[in-house]
Structure formats: structure tokens, C-alpha cells
Amino acid sequence: MAGAPVSDPMNPTRSFQGLLLTLQRFWAERGCVVLQPYDMEVGAGTFHPATTLRALGPKPWKAAYVQPSRRPKDGRYGENPNRLQHYYQFQVILKPSPPDLQQLYLDSLQAIGVDMALHDIRFVEDDWESPTLGAWGLGWECWCDGMEVSQFTYFQQVAGVECAPVAGELTYGLERLACYLQGVDRIMDLNFNGLEGEDRVSYGDVFLQAEQEFSRYNFEHADTAMLFRHFNDAEAECRALLAAGEAGEGANDPRHSLALPAYDQCIKASHMFNLLDARGVISVTERQSYILRVRELSKACGAAWLKTAGGGAN
Amino acid sequence: MPDLLLELFSEEIPARMQRKAAEDLKKLVTDALVERGLVYEGAQAFATPRRLALHIAELPVRGRDIREERKGPRVGAPEAAVQGFLKAAGLVSLDQATVVSDPKKGDSYIAIIEKPGQETVAAIAEIVPQVIRSFPWPKSMRWGKASAAGASLRWVRPLHSILCTFGPETEEPEVVRFDVDGIASGNTTYGHRFHAPQAITVRRFDDYVAHLEKAKVVLDADRRKEIILTDARNLAFAQGLDLVEDEGLLEEVAGLVEWPVVLMGAFEERFLEIPGEAIRATIRANQKSFVLRDPATGALANKFILVSNLNASDGGSAIVAGNGRVVRARLSDAAYFFATDKGSLPDLDTFRDSAGTLGLDLAKPLDQRMAKLDKLGVVFHAKIGTQGARVQRIAALARELAPIVGADPDLAERAAKLAKADLPTEMVGEFPELQGLMGRKYAELQGENPSIAAAIEEHYKPLGPSDRVPTDPVSVAVGLADKLDTLVGFWAIDEKPTGSKDPYALRRAALGVIRLVVENGVRLSLAGVARDPDLVSFFHDRLKVVLRDAGARHDLVDAVLGEGASNNDDLLLITRRVDALSRFLDTEDGVNLLSGYRRAANILKAEEKKDGEGAFAAAADLQLIADAGLIEEKGLAVALAQATPKAEAAVAKEDFEGAMAALAELRPAVDAFFDKVTVNDPDPALRANRLKLLNQLREATRAVADFSRIAG
């Protein structure tokens, strides 16, 4: 919030939640619907249907939301200063991409307290690709004084479908950005609520135990036979829903009626794969075939979405 | 004469694409101008992260008028022919055509078509939009509202504005007006994103460069590089340090800034325990910064040079602090990787069977990593199998090759077993370019024999024609085993290089084998290890390339390889033979013997046509020569009887100089023979015998090479 006094606990340079709220407010003021996190385990904010599916089809769309991202493989039992198996991304999606998207992004940095006269902001080539989503785009990693603080992507293809029009996607790595703003070297040391003394709550107070327990789960305890089963179940359910939602020959309404539930199952399969991968039970060759299976689901879901009202079908 | 100024202003262009894009812009625009007859004095193209610019000096105001004559039908030709002519020439009626008279052919029509030269401004307004629409970016994208339609403009990143002016130095230039997907050309640009974001009105190249400079944009990438290098050296010098120069990094960094500001950062000295190569790799790859060296010790210093894009209001201290924090985090990671790699793996028990199969000592960290690599079943190639199986084959082959290259078989086998052990280390996982090098470090730390440690790093070498070839016999054994196993494996699954496609760098592997063998004087029979005759001939092809690059004649290689190419499977011997042959043919004896050989071969060819192939294959009848032959005939027979076994013996001893010298002894007898003896004697017996003698000469030369393949 531009102008919030530094003493304000909600100042983005003082608290993690202040950073979150500032970004939400900033993008709300620029016409985004501010959504809440999707209630499923995903590896990145991009998986949220508000991005993946809404990026498809002709309808304009502007949304911003925080999304917890689960990357089982990145767990370090809470011991690594900047690697976590659960962290937050702040995601902005604007379709079509506005002509001043770079400037809007820079304004958002200003809003969270980055002074452009002091800091070196750079757009460094980084082409984005998600093999499981069948998606790619061109853009940059955004650097602030040599640190990657965001990903900036112009989606070209999602779920195997050409984006028309193209959406612009911004992803802020919130913990990293907060470390930078608060001048802290370890994520767990972040001030979460901006208060001091005995009222102070750190990121570690909130998440350290979870990091430890989930690292144990991800690497040591996850029941791989069950995960394989869940993967297969989710895949089968996804396919069944895609088939069931298809309008039959001569139906009054030609639209697909189950695209969103089908996509949920695709997300589920993807997360099961990530857990299996973290457990090290998927060999290098098998890995590719699992990725392909998820991609096939996501492509089919994308195709179904285009046959819904949200996807532009009338 | 007027100049053209063109600028395409966009969002950040990837650094690696900028230089080529500027060149492409220049070529495409100037080619199109020249094609329209618009020649110019000079052209220069530039690139910064946000713009491509082109300046073309001294173009004419308009192209030359074109006058063209088109011949038509004769006067009184059928109506169809007349109509066709009118249509082709763009005439309405015959009144517009001219009649010409020819004394032989009579009167006919011609059309004289005069096209006034195109205004250059109009030509530019046609050319530039075309160039923009079909620009050869390696990767391009669509954006914004326009991308809802199918065929919207593609550019490397969103294109924002186009500046295009044309005019002489003395007058106000004119804006060349055109429109590309809603972007109208104009005469404005923008300065540095943060220092001077306002629009700038530009007239021509001179004031464009000056305006940009004032707006904190250095247009010329080479000047940015110079600024960065000079400032970096000076900052280093002030601290008594040397800059570790890095052209690739410099080029990239110059493409990331419009206004380079060079700063120095530091990190804690304790990080210097990390191998210098790893420090450099992380600082280079992740931070795009330069490292510094202490000139006294040659060791890395705990400082680095970063290049920012901002004249910060605090002199850059926040930027230095921020970069320092990131570098420290990266180095903490690297230190953690290094420490982890030096320690024991937690799940050792699961690797016991792998360690057993491979004969590894699980008390040692690097052995553990190899066991892990095997246990995980990491695939080298889906059809060839796992890394573990591959390492076993390489170890067996290295052991087999060891005596041939003069290496201790135990050392060679052990080195091969550890050669890939660094692949599952944390450090190599993070910095793949450190493979081999980290293996060597870890081997040294666990007290391996120095030759083993060296071989782990060097077995990948040589990586290219200019890379050093290892000389330690253990490195040679493992290097050969690794490359041969790769080649044999890919040949077995029929994944050979074709044309420009060589995804597994098999040509490089074969070249590596050739250089290892030839430069170390290794005698290796390829057929034994290569198995597939096709692979042997692949080696021959690569060898030809190598020898040709080294200045040898292509035909001499063919001559040495001869017809039974697959028997010639010793690369070192082939090379030596080519050398000896090449030297021999540089002597007078060599030249004359070759011409003698050719005469003999030509006569034989002609006569064999009459008498049939192999008609003169038998040895000449010496008695007949003694009884009825000429003295020169006898002389050749004697010379052949002496020289042939000598040459063969020398070849058997691999003394190719000796073999050539033996052949050289034939020369006077051959010269005298052709001087005095008529081969096609009326007496059929004498004729046949003389031809047999020539056949013996032909065969004698075959001992060293197939002379028929020598060109010229």
C-alpha cells in the first residue's frame, strides 16, 4: 500500500501478510477479481483453473490470487534457508495481456516497497514450459538486484491449445520477495504478522512443523502403492467425467457439462505423480510416460472447457 | 544524399538473440532495397535489450527509371496473338505499341514500357512492414488483444513502437509512414526504462544516438562491452585483483543492460573452500557476474563483479547488498552440496548389491555415489540400457585396453568404475558442466591414485578439435573405452549420425578416439572393439576429415585405405602410411614411380580388355626373359625380385619409409623399361610375359598403397 507508514504492521516490508494484502489490493484496484486459493494440492499457481482453464477461449479475464504450491521433492525438513515443499505464489492472470503489463508489474513492485531509484530491476529471458499442462509461453524472470522475484509469461499455448487471445501471467515468489523486503536470509525468520515482542509471529512459527512433518511424509512415509492406485483412479475418473459431460448426438445443448470436475481429477493425478516422484519410485523412463498421461488429461480437459460457457461456447 | 533511420522498440529481447537480430534486420532491409535498385553507401545495425536499430547512409531519393522493351507479334498476326501481347505488355490497344521494321522479317510490334523509379520513401514503407512480419526470430510470440485473431503479428516479445525517418542531413527528415498491426511508425523513441522513460523526438541517426546517450542508453553493444570490461578491470585493479575474463558472459551481460554500471560485491572468505570452478559456475550461471582472482596465488578472491542497469541514487550500495545476499545464498547451497557430496549417503544398505557387482568400496563417498547410480537404474539411453551396466562395460574394456596403451590394468579399471560416479552428486546435479571435474576433486579427497583422479576428469576429453588430448595412459584407456562403448552402443541400435543430425555427438566421440590413438601413438585394432564393419568405415570417414584438416591429401588417404578398407583398422598405421606416402610423392623418385605405375596400369587395362581380366596375373617367365628378353626387361625383373620382398618386409615391420625407399629403387629399371622395351611385341609369348612383368610392378606398389586412387 503506497504510503503505508513503515511502523504499520501491514506495511509490506514488515510483514508477510502485509505483502500479500498489498498485492491483492493493488491488483483488485486494477480490475482483477481477487480469488482465494484453489482447494486442492497443486505444484504451482498456474494449475488453478482460474489460470489454466480461463486462459483458454476468447473471453476476457482478470484475476489475482494467492496459491499454496506443493513441491514434495523440494522438501528439506525445514532446514534449507530458502527451499520448502509448501510455499506461496501470488498469481495474476490478465487476458488479453494489456499493452502496459510490464509497467503494471513495476508499479506493483513499487506498491510493495521496491524503490526504482535504488534497485536494479531486470527482465531476463526465461521461456516457460509445463510439460504436464501441455503449456508454454515466452517471458522473463524478473530480477531485483540479482534475485529472481517473479516470473512473467505471455501464454502461447495451454492444454495443447493456442491461446487466442494471449494471456499475461505474473507469478510472485512471495517468501523470497518477503525475505528481500524484510532483509531476512531465512524464510523461517520472516515476520508473518508485522508485530514485535511477544505478539510477533514468524513464518517458522506457522510453518516449520508442517515442513518437517510433510518432508517426512513425502520422502519416507507416503504409501506408494496407494499413490499409484490414486493416480490411476484419478485418471480413470477424469476420463469418465470427460466422456459423461460430452453432449450426445442431437442434444439440445451442445456444450460440455463436466469440464471443471474432470479438471480437478487431472490436478489430482498430477499431484499423485509429484508425490511418487519425490518418493523416488518412478524411474527415468517411466517418468516421461507419467508426464504424458497427465498431459493427455489436461489437453482433454482444455478441449472440454472450450465447449463450455466459460470457454466461450454459446 | 538522404539517410534512413529505423528503430523497433520492444519489451526485453533475450540477450543471446540481439546481435543476430540486428544483423538480420540490416541484411533483410538492405537486400530488399538493393533488389529495387536502391544502392546505399553504408549500413549499420544495433541492438539493446529493448530495441533494434538500423542506420543506412546515403540512399538515393528515388530509384532509377526502368525502360523495358517487349517484342510482340508481326503486323497482321492473328487476333489471339495480338490480344496476348497487349495483355502481357499491359497495353489497351495497338495504338500504344510501336511498329519496327526488319528487312528480313518484316514489320512487327514492340511495346515500350517505361516505369519511373520508385520513391525511396515508398519503397521503405513497403519493405519495413514486410521485414517485420517475416522476421526470423528463433522463437516468437503473439500478445494482446490482436492475438485473438489467427494471423496476428509475431515478435520476440511485444513490439511497442517503430521509428522510421528518411531525409538528408541538411533538412528536416520525413517520417516514413506505415502501419504494422496497429503500430504506426513515427519519430519518437524512449530512453532508459527508469532514468528517462519519456518519449524522445528524433530526427536522424546522429541526434538519435546523442539523445539516447543523454537518456542513459548506450546503443552500441560493443561499446557497452568495452565500458563493462574497462570498468571491471579497473575495479579489480583497485583491489589488487585480476578479473577472470569471460567473453561469453560479457556478451550476455552487455545484452542485459542499456546503461551499464559496474559494481563490486563480496562474500565471506569461508566460501572459498568450495572448489573455484563451482564458485565461478554458480556466480556466472545464476548471477551473470564475473569472479576475480588473486594474481599472486591464482586462487579466486571473495569478490565478484556485477553489472547493473542503474545509476542508483545511493551509489549502488543497495544493489551491491542485494546481489551479495543472493550470491551468499547460492554459495551456501554450493557449500552444502560440496559437504553433502563429501559425506556418506544415508541409505547405504540399499546399495550393497550394486557395490558388490561393481566391486566398490562403500566406505568411500565416491564409491557410494557410483553404487547409487547403479542402484537407481538411471538410464543412459532407453535402448542401450543403464549407466550402471555401461560403467561395467567401460571398466572391462578399459582393463582390456590398458596393456595396449601402457596403463596399469587395475588403475584403468578402477578409474573407469569411478568415471561416472560424480553424476549423482549434488554438485553435478546443480552444475552439469562440472561433471568430471567434481569427480576428480572427490577422488583426490578420498585418496585415489593421482592417475585415477586425473582420468575421471580427462576421460571426457578431447571435447573438440582444439581441446587438449590427455596423455596419462590411465586417462587414455578410460577415454577410449568410454567413447568406443558409446559408439558401439549407438551403432548396435542403429542410431547413427545422419547429415547435420548428430544428437549424441557421435562424430565428436569418433574424433576423440582418433586423436587419442594418433596423438598418443596407440596401436589399436578397431575391428576387434568396433565389431560392426560399418563403424570401422565411419572411423575411416572421420579419419579422412582429420587428415584433410591437417593438410593431407584426401586421395592419399583413399589410396592407403585401398579397397579392403575394413582390413585397415589401425588408425595410427593408416596415419603413418599416409604421411610416408605423402612424403614419398614429394620426391622425384616418387613422382616418376607414380608415372611409371600409371603407364603400366594403363597398358594393362587396355590389354586386359582384349585378353580378359587376370590374363597376366601369373609371374613372368624368367627363363623366357633370359632367353629372348631385352636387357631392360631383365633389369626390371631383377629389380622387382629385389624390391618387392624388401617393400613387403618393410610393411610387415610397419616401416613405411623403408617400404617407400624399396619402391624408389624400382624407378631406374622402370624408366629404362619404358624407354627401350615395346610391350606389345609381335611375338605373343613375349608380349604376354612383358605384361606379366608390368602386373608384378602394379602388385608391388599395392604393398604400400593403391596407387590407382592417387589423383592428379
Side-chain angles (χ1 to χ4, degrees), chain B residues 238-258:
Chain B
Q239 300 282 324
L241 297 171
D242 279 350
L243 177 72
V244 177
E245 294 191 10
D246 185 331
E247 173 58 29
L249 179 61
L250 181 60
E251 173 80 17
E252 183 180 7
V253 168
L256 289 171
V257 293
E258 293 203 304

PDB file of all heavy atoms in Angstrom, chain B residues 238-258:
ATOM      1  N   ALA B 238      41.974  -1.896  -8.634  1.00  0.00           N
ATOM      2  CA  ALA B 238      41.993  -1.089  -7.418  1.00  0.00           C
ATOM      3  C   ALA B 238      42.063  -1.955  -6.165  1.00  0.00           C
ATOM      4  O   ALA B 238      42.522  -1.515  -5.114  1.00  0.00           O
ATOM      5  CB  ALA B 238      40.753  -0.192  -7.373  1.00  0.00           C
ATOM      6  N   GLN B 239      41.603  -3.195  -6.281  1.00  0.00           N
ATOM      7  CA  GLN B 239      41.642  -4.105  -5.129  1.00  0.00           C
ATOM      8  C   GLN B 239      42.842  -5.040  -5.223  1.00  0.00           C
ATOM      9  O   GLN B 239      42.936  -5.999  -4.458  1.00  0.00           O
ATOM     10  CB  GLN B 239      40.370  -4.959  -5.089  1.00  0.00           C
ATOM     11  CG  GLN B 239      39.089  -4.172  -4.966  1.00  0.00           C
ATOM     12  CD  GLN B 239      38.842  -3.705  -3.552  1.00  0.00           C
ATOM     13  OE1 GLN B 239      39.160  -4.421  -2.605  1.00  0.00           O
ATOM     14  NE2 GLN B 239      38.306  -2.518  -3.390  1.00  0.00           N
ATOM     15  N   GLY B 240      43.717  -4.797  -6.187  1.00  0.00           N
ATOM     16  CA  GLY B 240      44.869  -5.680  -6.371  1.00  0.00           C
ATOM     17  C   GLY B 240      44.479  -7.047  -6.906  1.00  0.00           C
ATOM     18  O   GLY B 240      45.146  -8.047  -6.625  1.00  0.00           O
ATOM     19  N   LEU B 241      43.377  -7.102  -7.657  1.00  0.00           N
ATOM     20  CA  LEU B 241      42.898  -8.397  -8.154  1.00  0.00           C
ATOM     21  C   LEU B 241      42.851  -8.402  -9.680  1.00  0.00           C
ATOM     22  O   LEU B 241      42.887  -7.352 -10.312  1.00  0.00           O
ATOM     23  CB  LEU B 241      41.496  -8.675  -7.603  1.00  0.00           C
ATOM     24  CG  LEU B 241      41.400  -8.797  -6.078  1.00  0.00           C
ATOM     25  CD1 LEU B 241      39.945  -8.845  -5.650  1.00  0.00           C
ATOM     26  CD2 LEU B 241      42.144 -10.035  -5.578  1.00  0.00           C
ATOM     27  N   ASP B 242      42.771  -9.603 -10.236  1.00  0.00           N
ATOM     28  CA  ASP B 242      42.604  -9.757 -11.678  1.00  0.00           C
ATOM     29  C   ASP B 242      41.172 -10.186 -11.975  1.00  0.00           C
ATOM     30  O   ASP B 242      40.628 -11.050 -11.287  1.00  0.00           O
ATOM     31  CB  ASP B 242      43.528 -10.866 -12.219  1.00  0.00           C
ATOM     32  CG  ASP B 242      44.935 -10.357 -12.432  1.00  0.00           C
ATOM     33  OD1 ASP B 242      45.132  -9.123 -12.335  1.00  0.00           O
ATOM     34  OD2 ASP B 242      45.825 -11.188 -12.672  1.00  0.00           O
ATOM     35  N   LEU B 243      40.619  -9.613 -13.033  1.00  0.00           N
ATOM     36  CA  LEU B 243      39.302 -10.057 -13.493  1.00  0.00           C
ATOM     37  C   LEU B 243      39.474 -11.382 -14.228  1.00  0.00           C
ATOM     38  O   LEU B 243      40.352 -11.517 -15.060  1.00  0.00           O
ATOM     39  CB  LEU B 243      38.743  -8.998 -14.452  1.00  0.00           C
ATOM     40  CG  LEU B 243      37.388  -9.311 -15.090  1.00  0.00           C
ATOM     41  CD1 LEU B 243      36.271  -9.185 -14.060  1.00  0.00           C
ATOM     42  CD2 LEU B 243      37.138  -8.383 -16.266  1.00  0.00           C
ATOM     43  N   VAL B 244      38.643 -12.368 -13.900  1.00  0.00           N
ATOM     44  CA  VAL B 244      38.643 -13.601 -14.688  1.00  0.00           C
ATOM     45  C   VAL B 244      37.760 -13.331 -15.902  1.00  0.00           C
ATOM     46  O   VAL B 244      36.545 -13.280 -15.789  1.00  0.00           O
ATOM     47  CB  VAL B 244      38.120 -14.804 -13.874  1.00  0.00           C
ATOM     48  CG1 VAL B 244      38.067 -16.061 -14.746  1.00  0.00           C
ATOM     49  CG2 VAL B 244      39.012 -15.046 -12.659  1.00  0.00           C
ATOM     50  N   GLU B 245      38.400 -13.093 -17.035  1.00  0.00           N
ATOM     51  CA  GLU B 245      37.646 -12.633 -18.199  1.00  0.00           C
ATOM     52  C   GLU B 245      36.843 -13.775 -18.811  1.00  0.00           C
ATOM     53  O   GLU B 245      37.213 -14.936 -18.698  1.00  0.00           O
ATOM     54  CB  GLU B 245      38.590 -11.979 -19.207  1.00  0.00           C
ATOM     55  CG  GLU B 245      39.171 -10.704 -18.596  1.00  0.00           C
ATOM     56  CD  GLU B 245      39.918  -9.826 -19.567  1.00  0.00           C
ATOM     57  OE1 GLU B 245      39.842 -10.092 -20.775  1.00  0.00           O
ATOM     58  OE2 GLU B 245      40.563  -8.872 -19.086  1.00  0.00           O
ATOM     59  N   ASP B 246      35.753 -13.410 -19.412  1.00  0.00           N
ATOM     60  CA  ASP B 246      34.807 -14.422 -19.874  1.00  0.00           C
ATOM     61  C   ASP B 246      33.985 -13.792 -20.995  1.00  0.00           C
ATOM     62  O   ASP B 246      33.019 -13.073 -20.748  1.00  0.00           O
ATOM     63  CB  ASP B 246      33.909 -14.798 -18.668  1.00  0.00           C
ATOM     64  CG  ASP B 246      32.963 -15.937 -18.998  1.00  0.00           C
ATOM     65  OD1 ASP B 246      32.574 -16.077 -20.168  1.00  0.00           O
ATOM     66  OD2 ASP B 246      32.597 -16.677 -18.063  1.00  0.00           O
ATOM     67  N   GLU B 247      34.417 -14.037 -22.222  1.00  0.00           N
ATOM     68  CA  GLU B 247      33.809 -13.360 -23.381  1.00  0.00           C
ATOM     69  C   GLU B 247      32.318 -13.677 -23.499  1.00  0.00           C
ATOM     70  O   GLU B 247      31.506 -12.796 -23.769  1.00  0.00           O
ATOM     71  CB  GLU B 247      34.575 -13.750 -24.654  1.00  0.00           C
ATOM     72  CG  GLU B 247      33.962 -13.252 -25.967  1.00  0.00           C
ATOM     73  CD  GLU B 247      33.796 -11.744 -26.070  1.00  0.00           C
ATOM     74  OE1 GLU B 247      34.596 -11.013 -25.439  1.00  0.00           O
ATOM     75  OE2 GLU B 247      32.849 -11.296 -26.764  1.00  0.00           O
ATOM     76  N   GLY B 248      31.956 -14.944 -23.283  1.00  0.00           N
ATOM     77  CA  GLY B 248      30.553 -15.340 -23.419  1.00  0.00           C
ATOM     78  C   GLY B 248      29.681 -14.585 -22.421  1.00  0.00           C
ATOM     79  O   GLY B 248      28.603 -14.087 -22.755  1.00  0.00           O
ATOM     80  N   LEU B 249      30.156 -14.512 -21.191  1.00  0.00           N
ATOM     81  CA  LEU B 249      29.409 -13.807 -20.144  1.00  0.00           C
ATOM     82  C   LEU B 249      29.333 -12.315 -20.456  1.00  0.00           C
ATOM     83  O   LEU B 249      28.287 -11.680 -20.295  1.00  0.00           O
ATOM     84  CB  LEU B 249      30.095 -14.054 -18.793  1.00  0.00           C
ATOM     85  CG  LEU B 249      29.471 -13.390 -17.575  1.00  0.00           C
ATOM     86  CD1 LEU B 249      28.050 -13.876 -17.359  1.00  0.00           C
ATOM     87  CD2 LEU B 249      30.311 -13.658 -16.323  1.00  0.00           C
ATOM     88  N   LEU B 250      30.444 -11.759 -20.933  1.00  0.00           N
ATOM     89  CA  LEU B 250      30.486 -10.330 -21.268  1.00  0.00           C
ATOM     90  C   LEU B 250      29.451 -10.004 -22.342  1.00  0.00           C
ATOM     91  O   LEU B 250      28.703  -9.035 -22.234  1.00  0.00           O
ATOM     92  CB  LEU B 250      31.894  -9.968 -21.749  1.00  0.00           C
ATOM     93  CG  LEU B 250      32.147  -8.510 -22.117  1.00  0.00           C
ATOM     94  CD1 LEU B 250      31.913  -7.596 -20.926  1.00  0.00           C
ATOM     95  CD2 LEU B 250      33.569  -8.337 -22.660  1.00  0.00           C
ATOM     96  N   GLU B 251      29.398 -10.835 -23.356  1.00  0.00           N
ATOM     97  CA  GLU B 251      28.441 -10.633 -24.453  1.00  0.00           C
ATOM     98  C   GLU B 251      27.009 -10.691 -23.899  1.00  0.00           C
ATOM     99  O   GLU B 251      26.162  -9.869 -24.240  1.00  0.00           O
ATOM    100  CB  GLU B 251      28.656 -11.715 -25.523  1.00  0.00           C
ATOM    101  CG  GLU B 251      27.629 -11.734 -26.641  1.00  0.00           C
ATOM    102  CD  GLU B 251      27.857 -10.683 -27.723  1.00  0.00           C
ATOM    103  OE1 GLU B 251      28.982 -10.139 -27.784  1.00  0.00           O
ATOM    104  OE2 GLU B 251      26.915 -10.393 -28.482  1.00  0.00           O
ATOM    105  N   GLU B 252      26.752 -11.657 -23.031  1.00  0.00           N
ATOM    106  CA  GLU B 252      25.411 -11.801 -22.480  1.00  0.00           C
ATOM    107  C   GLU B 252      25.045 -10.598 -21.606  1.00  0.00           C
ATOM    108  O   GLU B 252      23.954 -10.030 -21.733  1.00  0.00           O
ATOM    109  CB  GLU B 252      25.311 -13.097 -21.660  1.00  0.00           C
ATOM    110  CG  GLU B 252      23.902 -13.311 -21.131  1.00  0.00           C
ATOM    111  CD  GLU B 252      23.749 -14.579 -20.315  1.00  0.00           C
ATOM    112  OE1 GLU B 252      24.762 -15.248 -20.027  1.00  0.00           O
ATOM    113  OE2 GLU B 252      22.602 -14.896 -19.945  1.00  0.00           O
ATOM    114  N   VAL B 253      25.968 -10.218 -20.733  1.00  0.00           N
ATOM    115  CA  VAL B 253      25.682  -9.127 -19.802  1.00  0.00           C
ATOM    116  C   VAL B 253      25.447  -7.821 -20.562  1.00  0.00           C
ATOM    117  O   VAL B 253      24.573  -7.026 -20.207  1.00  0.00           O
ATOM    118  CB  VAL B 253      26.841  -9.004 -18.792  1.00  0.00           C
ATOM    119  CG1 VAL B 253      26.726  -7.729 -18.006  1.00  0.00           C
ATOM    120  CG2 VAL B 253      26.846 -10.198 -17.853  1.00  0.00           C
ATOM    121  N   ALA B 254      26.203  -7.618 -21.645  1.00  0.00           N
ATOM    122  CA  ALA B 254      26.026  -6.401 -22.444  1.00  0.00           C
ATOM    123  C   ALA B 254      24.633  -6.377 -23.080  1.00  0.00           C
ATOM    124  O   ALA B 254      24.123  -5.317 -23.433  1.00  0.00           O
ATOM    125  CB  ALA B 254      27.097  -6.304 -23.520  1.00  0.00           C
ATOM    126  N   GLY B 255      24.023  -7.558 -23.200  1.00  0.00           N
ATOM    127  CA  GLY B 255      22.680  -7.639 -23.750  1.00  0.00           C
ATOM    128  C   GLY B 255      21.600  -7.550 -22.680  1.00  0.00           C
ATOM    129  O   GLY B 255      20.419  -7.699 -22.972  1.00  0.00           O
ATOM    130  N   LEU B 256      22.012  -7.358 -21.437  1.00  0.00           N
ATOM    131  CA  LEU B 256      21.031  -7.259 -20.344  1.00  0.00           C
ATOM    132  C   LEU B 256      20.907  -5.838 -19.815  1.00  0.00           C
ATOM    133  O   LEU B 256      20.116  -5.583 -18.910  1.00  0.00           O
ATOM    134  CB  LEU B 256      21.434  -8.193 -19.193  1.00  0.00           C
ATOM    135  CG  LEU B 256      21.266  -9.694 -19.460  1.00  0.00           C
ATOM    136  CD1 LEU B 256      21.901 -10.511 -18.346  1.00  0.00           C
ATOM    137  CD2 LEU B 256      19.794 -10.046 -19.582  1.00  0.00           C
ATOM    138  N   VAL B 257      21.725  -4.931 -20.333  1.00  0.00           N
ATOM    139  CA  VAL B 257      21.708  -3.555 -19.822  1.00  0.00           C
ATOM    140  C   VAL B 257      21.727  -2.562 -20.977  1.00  0.00           C
ATOM    141  O   VAL B 257      22.307  -2.821 -22.025  1.00  0.00           O
ATOM    142  CB  VAL B 257      22.927  -3.270 -18.903  1.00  0.00           C
ATOM    143  CG1 VAL B 257      22.840  -4.088 -17.633  1.00  0.00           C
ATOM    144  CG2 VAL B 257      24.237  -3.571 -19.622  1.00  0.00           C
ATOM    145  N   GLU B 258      21.083  -1.415 -20.749  1.00  0.00           N
ATOM    146  CA  GLU B 258      21.204  -0.334 -21.725  1.00  0.00           C
ATOM    147  C   GLU B 258      22.217   0.685 -21.236  1.00  0.00           C
ATOM    148  O   GLU B 258      22.827   1.395 -22.025  1.00  0.00           O
ATOM    149  CB  GLU B 258      19.836   0.336 -21.947  1.00  0.00           C
ATOM    150  CG  GLU B 258      18.832  -0.584 -22.634  1.00  0.00           C
ATOM    151  CD  GLU B 258      17.718   0.154 -23.359  1.00  0.00           C
ATOM    152  OE1 GLU B 258      17.030   0.960 -22.704  1.00  0.00           O
ATOM    153  OE2 GLU B 258      17.537  -0.089 -24.577  1.00  0.00           O
TER     154      GLU B 258
END
